[in-house]
């Protein structure tokens, strides 16, 4: 069973070119460090490392990238960027980042747009480090868009075949005649939305509705809101800001979790395409139902005393944050009733629309599961009937339905296994955690959400977990972000055999 050398070399060549480009975003914290009188050395060293390693890998011969090389490249790229992202954190070595495991955890959490953190004291870290975390998450959001467009759609991974069904774009790589041009269009939409979010936050400050919103905070939160990522340079997350900011960020999260092909159509003046999208209506329905349930439970909770606007705002914000897998917090929902927390826990399994920056199972898969299950019930009652599953006007193929069921099942199995391993590891060191803490932490890691409950709550940290648990979480974040298949394919013996 020999390795196919040419395949590996081609993948390493592409990985090298990706690592070379990381020098560009790493320049951002260098500039921030100089502006705030901090040392730029950790970021300069990271630039030197990523350019050096990238250049060395780029020397490998590259032939045409086939499916096997694409799977390998996708897996290595996310892992490699996480390692590079961790370098300046470890080199700076402040507080928890004196541990390489913590630095890797934060780096993987950043590039996978998870938003989970091990930081205990935000004031102990430099502004450059805090901004690098934001930039890393913005790159993760952009990366998953480009990945879905250029690679995963060809491999029928990451819901790309579902995205084609819902958007009525028969090939999502062909919004334009070339993949490169399509990627540029989606990147431009992403950039415009980010700039719009930053400008909106600055305007709120200018008119007096966001007194605590500095230019640094505006840029930092714009980077991670549209990326549905969740890192914040504030210990209180978005709870550090005014109600106006919280409402605005809610909108940004909802937009970031919307199919970017439909957003592109909207920017071109075709708003009907978005409104006709059955997945979009299903997505908004999930948000509305979650808000109604959480809001009602907060009103019924005698311990939660707040005016109607505050109750509605926190319910809307937290449901949107969890459903879109962003992971921001407007308040410490760890203190809410068990019922309200369980609604948020269930929301972790939703995710936003296919073709967005969001993670988790995604609403289009749940829509297809719901419709196909209803179809099967009807066929059971009327065995001779023939019913197709449709999303909008398009028929969903039976192979796609099988793929959706398979993915959902595998995702749930991995989540369960992750939960068991977290509980077992905590028991091993004599520091047990509750089952609900383990369930929420495993779901949060695998579905790239960020906060969980208990010690890893919205105002908590993952630093209290063992090193082995953190490494398991790194693995869960990595596999979950690239939607399981690319990593699992690497584990099959046939992948490494010569064709």
């Amino acid at each position: 069973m020999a390795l196919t050398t040419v395949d590996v070399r081609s993948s390493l060549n592409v990985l090298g070119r990706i690592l070379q480009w990381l020098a560009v975003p790493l320049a951002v914290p260098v500039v921030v460090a100089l502006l705030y009188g901090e040392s730029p050395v950790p970021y300069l060293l990271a630039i030197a490392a990523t350019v050096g390693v990238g250049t060395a890998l780029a020397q490998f011969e590259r032939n045409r990238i086939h499916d096997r090389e694409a799977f390998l490249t996708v897996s290595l790229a996310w892992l490699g960027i996480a390692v590079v992202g961790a370098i300046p954190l470890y080199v700076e070595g402040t507080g928890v980042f004196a541990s390489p495991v913590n630095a890797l955890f934060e780096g993987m959490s950043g590039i996978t747009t998870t938003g989970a953190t091990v930081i205990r004291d935000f004031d102990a870290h430099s502004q450059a480090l805090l901004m690098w975390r934001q930039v890393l998450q913005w790159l993760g959001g952009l990366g998953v868009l480009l990945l879905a467009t250029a690679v995963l759609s060809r491999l029928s991974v990451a819901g790309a075949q579902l995205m084609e069904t819902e958007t009525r774009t028969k090939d999502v790589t062909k919004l334009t005649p070339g993949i490169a041009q399509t990627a540029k269009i989606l990147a431009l939409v992403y950039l415009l939305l980010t700039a719009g979010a930053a400008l909106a936050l600055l305007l709120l400050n200018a008119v007096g509705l966001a007194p605590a919103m500095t230019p640094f905070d505006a840029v930092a939160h714009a980077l991670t809101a549209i990326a549905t990522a969740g890192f914040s340079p504030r210990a209180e997350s978005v709870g550090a800001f005014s109600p106006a900011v919280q409402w605005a960020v809610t909108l940004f999260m909802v937009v970031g979790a919307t199919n970017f092909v439909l957003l592109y159509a909207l920017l071109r003046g075709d708003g009907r395409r978005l409104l006709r999208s059955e997945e979009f209506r299903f997505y908004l329905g999930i948000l509305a139902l979650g808000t109604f349930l959480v809001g009602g439970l907060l009103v019924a909770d005698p311990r939660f005393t707040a005016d109607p606007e505050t109750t509605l705002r926190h319910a809307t914000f937290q449901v949107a944050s969890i459903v879109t897998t962003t992971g921001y917090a407007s308040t410490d929902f760890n203190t809410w009733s068990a019922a309200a927390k369980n609604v948020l826990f269930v929301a972790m399994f939703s995710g936003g629309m296919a073709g967005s920056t969001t993670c988790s199972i995604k609403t289009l898969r749940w829509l297809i599961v719901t419709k196909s299950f209803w179809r099967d019930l009807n066929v059971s009652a009327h065995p001779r009937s023939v019913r197709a599953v449709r999303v909008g006007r398009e028929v969903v193929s039976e192979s796609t339905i099988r793929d959706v069921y398979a993915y959902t099942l595998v995702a749930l199995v991995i989540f369960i296994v992750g939960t068991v391993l977290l509980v077992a590891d905590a028991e091993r060191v004599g520091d047990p955690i509750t089952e609900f803490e383990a369930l929420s932490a495993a779901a949060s890691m695998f579905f790239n959400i960020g906060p969980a409950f208990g010690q890893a709550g919205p105002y908590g940290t993952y630093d209290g977990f063992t090193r082995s648990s953190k490494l398991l979480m790194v693995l869960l974040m990595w596999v979950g972000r690239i939607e399981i298949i690319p990593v699992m394919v690497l584990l099959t013996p046939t992948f490494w055999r010569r064709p």
Side-chain angles (χ1 to χ4, degrees), residues 143-159:
V144 81
L145 282 178
L146 303 185
L147 187 68
T149 303
V151 180
L152 297 184
S153 62
R154 193 180 81 195
L155 303 174
S156 294
V157 177

Side-chain angles (χ1 to χ4, degrees), residues 406-429:
Y407 176 87
T408 305
L409 176 62
V410 171
L412 294 177
V413 168
I414 293 176
F415 151 69
I416 292 170
V417 171
T419 300
V420 172
L421 291 176
L422 288 178
V423 171
D425 192 52
E427 292 284 353
R428 178 185 63 83
V429 298

Side-chain angles (χ1 to χ4, degrees), residues 314-468:
H314 287 320
T316 304
F317 186 98
Q318 291 308 154
V319 168
S321 179
I322 298 298
V323 167
T324 64
T325 72
T326 305
Y328 283 144
S330 62
T331 187
D332 186 4
F333 56 77
N334 223 3
T335 63
W336 289 0
S337 68
K341 287 190 288 187
N342 272 278
V343 173
L344 292 181
F345 172 69
V346 172
M348 289 181 173
F349 296 82
S350 173
M353 297 178 69
S356 69
T357 61
T358 191
C359 313
S360 195
I361 293 176
K362 294 188 173 63
T363 52
L364 187 50
R365 286 194 178 98
W366 286 120
L367 179 60
I368 291 174
V369 166
T370 302
K371 282 177 167 268
S372 62
F373 181 68
W374 182 251
R375 186 268 308 268
D376 292 343
L377 287 178
N378 282 282
V379 170
S380 296
H382 304 281
R384 294 185 179 181
S385 64
V386 177
R387 296 172 182 262
V389 174
R390 295 178 181 271
V391 175
R393 299 180 215 167
E394 301 296 314
V395 174
V396 182
S397 69
E398 293 301 317
S399 63
T400 297
I401 294 173
R402 287 193 297 271
D403 288 345
V404 167
Y405 272 111
Y407 176 87
T408 305
L409 176 62
V410 171
L412 294 177
V413 168
I414 293 176
F415 151 69
I416 292 170
V417 171
T419 300
V420 172
L421 291 176
L422 288 178
V423 171
D425 192 52
E427 292 284 353
R428 178 185 63 83
V429 298
D431 186 20
I433 58 177
T434 67
E435 287 79 3
F436 189 58
E437 283 182 296
L439 284 165
S440 63
S444 185
M445 293 295 96
F446 183 63
F447 296 124
N448 306 116
I449 291 163
F453 300 98
Q455 62 177 302
Y459 292 163
T461 174
Y462 284 84
D463 187 44
F465 286 88
T466 65
R467 282 183 296 178
S468 51

Side-chain angles (χ1 to χ4, degrees), residues 62-411:
R62 185 177 73 175
N63 296 307
R64 183 178 177 182
I65 300 293
H66 297 283
D67 288 356
R68 291 198 301 165
E69 293 93 336
F71 281 123
L72 181 60
T73 301
V74 167
S75 301
L76 291 178
W78 245 250
L79 187 60
I81 297 172
V83 172
V84 171
I87 290 174
L89 307 181
Y90 181 62
V91 171
E92 187 167 309
T94 308
V96 294
F97 294 129
S99 162
V101 172
N102 281 347
L104 178 61
F105 179 98
E106 201 83 3
M108 183 62 78
S109 179
I111 196 59
T112 58
T113 69
T114 302
T117 186
V118 293
I119 293 180
R120 291 185 177 273
D121 180 8
F122 280 79
D123 293 333
H125 301 283
S126 67
Q127 296 295 97
L129 183 146
L130 295 177
M131 181 56 76
W132 171 235
R133 293 166 72 245
Q134 309 300 112
V135 171
L136 192 59
Q137 291 212 306
W138 188 83
L139 286 175
L142 175 62
V144 81
L145 282 178
L146 303 185
L147 187 68
T149 303
V151 180
L152 297 184
S153 62
R154 193 180 81 195
L155 303 174
S156 294
V157 177
Q161 74 273 39
L162 311 179
M163 188 169 136
E164 292 168 13
T165 297
E166 172 62 0
T167 60
R168 290 188 288 279
T169 302
K170 293 303 180 184
D171 185 345
V172 295
T173 67
K174 292 180 181 177
L175 289 174
T176 63
I179 290 177
Q181 186 63 22
T182 299
K184 287 178 183 177
I185 288 175
L186 294 181
L188 179 60
V189 172
Y190 186 69
L191 183 61
L192 289 174
L193 290 175
T194 305
L199 180 60
L201 294 176
L202 289 172
L203 287 175
L204 287 176
N205 173 262
V207 299
L209 292 176
M213 181 62 64
T214 66
F216 182 94
D217 286 321
V219 172
H221 288 91
L223 289 173
T224 55
I226 298 301
T228 60
F231 271 163
S232 170
R234 300 289 193 110
E236 305 87 357
S237 188
V238 182
F241 304 102
S242 66
V245 170
Q246 293 172 20
W247 282 117
V249 171
T250 300
L251 176 62
F252 303 152
M253 292 188 292
V254 172
V255 170
T258 301
N259 188 315
F260 269 63
V261 173
L262 298 178
L263 290 176
Y264 172 61
L266 179 64
L267 290 176
R268 294 187 63 185
D270 186 5
R272 290 178 299 175
R273 194 169 176 187
L274 179 65
L275 296 176
R276 287 197 305 263
S277 167
E278 188 173 1
E279 186 200 2
F280 182 64
R281 297 194 299 271
F282 186 69
Y283 164 53
L284 293 183
I286 289 175
L287 291 173
L289 177 61
T291 300
F292 174 77
L293 292 174
V294 171
L297 290 168
L298 291 180
V299 170
D301 185 357
R303 297 172 301 171
F304 187 85
T305 55
D307 60 87
E309 185 277 334
T310 300
T311 302
L312 178 62
R313 171 165 38 88
H314 287 320
T316 304
F317 186 98
Q318 291 308 154
V319 168
S321 179
I322 298 298
V323 167
T324 64
T325 72
T326 305
Y328 283 144
S330 62
T331 187
D332 186 4
F333 56 77
N334 223 3
T335 63
W336 289 0
S337 68
K341 287 190 288 187
N342 272 278
V343 173
L344 292 181
F345 172 69
V346 172
M348 289 181 173
F349 296 82
S350 173
M353 297 178 69
S356 69
T357 61
T358 191
C359 313
S360 195
I361 293 176
K362 294 188 173 63
T363 52
L364 187 50
R365 286 194 178 98
W366 286 120
L367 179 60
I368 291 174
V369 166
T370 302
K371 282 177 167 268
S372 62
F373 181 68
W374 182 251
R375 186 268 308 268
D376 292 343
L377 287 178
N378 282 282
V379 170
S380 296
H382 304 281
R384 294 185 179 181
S385 64
V386 177
R387 296 172 182 262
V389 174
R390 295 178 181 271
V391 175
R393 299 180 215 167
E394 301 296 314
V395 174
V396 182
S397 69
E398 293 301 317
S399 63
T400 297
I401 294 173
R402 287 193 297 271
D403 288 345
V404 167
Y405 272 111
Y407 176 87
T408 305
L409 176 62
V410 171

